[in-house]
Amino acid sequence: MLARVQDNGETSDPFPVSKGVKQGCVLAPTLFSLTFSAMLTDAFRDSDIGIGITYRTDGSIFNLRRLQAKPKVSKDTVNDFLFADDCALNAATEADMQCSVDKFSEACNNFGLTINTKKIEVMHQPAPGKLYAKPNITVNGQRLNTKIKVCRAIVLKTLLYGCETWTVYQRHARKLNHFHNTCLRKLLGIKWQDRIPDTEVLTRAGLPSIYTILMQSQLRWTGHVVRMPDHRLPKRLLYGKLQQRKRSKGGQKKPFRVTLKASLKAFDINHNSGSRQLRTEEYGGQLYTKAPKHMKPTG
């Protein structure tokens, strides 16, 4: 079909659309159901993976002894449950589930569909008297780990609330990093007897260390303040100092600028070359597994 785009009262020239349907089109759910059914047929055409059942529809439903008559009992394999546009794959073992997911993923690729791993959940119901073992299922090499996502979205956000303006001491970063690694080890099922270092734990979880998160947050916030107009109060406070101040006896309090300068040095950002160096993309992709000198615990 041909489509046009209307913007501010002006209509563009018509252009062809060869994929998809119009928004609100009544044919969309019907076409998707047909495509989805064909995809499932292609995925499990020659597969016997699933949950096996025996059934017999004649007789009383409460008389289970009738299922003992082997000549009259039928067998079937349940490999998926469908409801509207949702699909639940079923398997008796973790290996069968991984094989079923691989077949489903391959069929999606054949039909040009993409699996959204962020909306997929893996549930395991252990047998009575058996301990729960967290399954490890991947889709195209991507692990489905909802707990890690919840930890990152809720636990870390609560733990590091307002960290953009913290003056970080070694003892603070050490305690936060210990809590972070402890949570990840519990979520990943890693015990201290396994003798797995923290660097490997962070790699498996796909998360940076607390030291990296703190520096990224502070540099990102500082870059935002530096790019503000000069009349903004946050920028004046960042570049200024108190008019009336006294030095306390003994060791002095660590100022925020010391932490910021050390973070810039750790990420190899030259703070003397102007405010354009304070952009997130220059350091946001790096993964630090060791603490920089100004945060590294001693002893």
Side-chain angles (χ1 to χ4, degrees):
M1 65 179 181
L2 298 178
R4 298 174 182 265
V5 176
Q6 186 175 7
D7 182 22
N8 196 19
E10 298 181 359
T11 304
S12 66
D13 297 333
F15 55 91
V17 177
S18 59
K19 294 183 179 180
V21 294
K22 292 186 289 186
Q23 184 177 4
C25 178
V26 295
L27 291 178
T30 303
L31 295 176
F32 179 79
S33 298
L34 294 175
T35 304
F36 202 68
S37 299
M39 183 191 65
L40 290 175
T41 303
D42 178 66
F44 305 108
R45 186 189 309 275
D46 300 325
S47 175
D48 57 351
I49 299 176
I51 300 177
I53 61 172
T54 57
Y55 64 94
R56 183 179 175 184
T57 57
D58 60 329
S60 175
I61 188 176
F62 302 104
N63 184 13
L64 297 180
R65 296 189 61 182
R66 59 191 176 86
L67 297 178
Q68 298 178 1
K70 295 183 180 180
K72 298 183 180 181
V73 171
S74 302
K75 297 181 180 181
D76 197 359
T77 301
V78 181
N79 50 26
D80 59 76
F81 292 138
L82 301 179
F83 178 77
D85 59 344
D86 293 333
C87 176
L89 304 181
N90 309 292
T93 62
E94 182 176 348
D96 290 346
M97 175 57 71
Q98 183 62 65
C99 183
S100 181
V101 172
D102 293 339
K103 291 181 178 294
F104 183 80
S105 177
E106 183 179 358
C108 288
N109 295 332
N110 295 337
F111 281 77
L113 299 179
T114 303
I115 300 178
N116 189 355
T117 57
K118 297 181 180 180
K119 297 182 179 180
I120 295 180
E121 296 183 3
V122 180
M123 295 177 287
H124 173 223
Q125 178 63 45
K130 300 293 184 179
L131 296 178
Y132 174 80
K134 184 176 63 174
N136 182 17
I137 307 298
T138 60
V139 177
N140 296 328
Q142 300 181 9
R143 185 175 180 180
L144 308 176
N145 200 329
T146 307
K147 294 183 179 180
I148 297 295
K149 298 177 183 178
V150 173
C151 177
R152 184 172 187 174
I154 299 179
V155 178
L156 288 181
K157 295 297 183 181
T158 305
L159 179 68
L160 303 178
Y161 179 77
C163 67
E164 292 83 0
T165 57
W166 287 359
T167 300
V168 183
Y169 285 81
Q170 293 182 7
R171 60 181 184 272
H172 299 154
R174 183 172 60 250
K175 292 181 179 180
L176 292 172
N177 190 64
H178 175 71
F179 173 80
H180 179 51
N181 290 328
T182 301
C183 292
L184 294 181
R185 288 178 180 271
K186 290 182 178 179
L187 294 178
L188 297 175
I190 300 176
K191 301 180 180 180
W192 67 269
Q193 295 91 338
D194 300 332
R195 304 180 66 87
I196 296 178
D198 292 341
T199 54
E200 178 64 22
V201 174
L202 295 174
T203 302
R204 294 185 182 182
L207 294 177
S209 64
I210 284 293
Y211 307 108
T212 304
I213 298 176
L214 287 173
M215 289 188 294
Q216 285 181 349
S217 301
Q218 292 185 349
L219 292 177
R220 187 182 297 111
W221 177 82
T222 304
H224 172 68
V225 176
V226 168
R227 292 188 291 270
M228 287 182 177
D230 294 341
H231 68 274
R232 295 290 300 275
L233 181 59
K235 187 173 184 178
R236 294 182 178 181
L237 293 176
L238 180 64
Y239 281 87
K241 66 177 183 179
L242 296 176
Q243 295 181 0
Q244 299 178 357
R245 57 175 182 169
K246 295 182 180 180
R247 293 178 61 88
S248 59
K249 296 181 180 180
Q252 303 302 314
K253 295 292 185 180
K254 183 179 179 180
F256 176 77
R257 296 179 182 178
V258 175
T259 302
L260 179 61
K261 188 174 182 180
S263 300
L264 291 171
K265 184 178 180 180
F267 282 102
D268 296 329
I269 300 177
N270 185 8
H271 64 280
N272 294 322
S273 60
S275 61
R276 292 186 178 181
Q277 296 291 335
L278 297 177
R279 292 189 175 181
T280 307
E281 56 267 22
E282 299 186 8
Y283 52 81
Q286 301 185 23
L287 178 62
Y288 275 70
T289 55
K290 294 184 179 180
K293 294 183 179 179
H294 74 290
M295 293 185 184
K296 191 173 182 179
T298 58

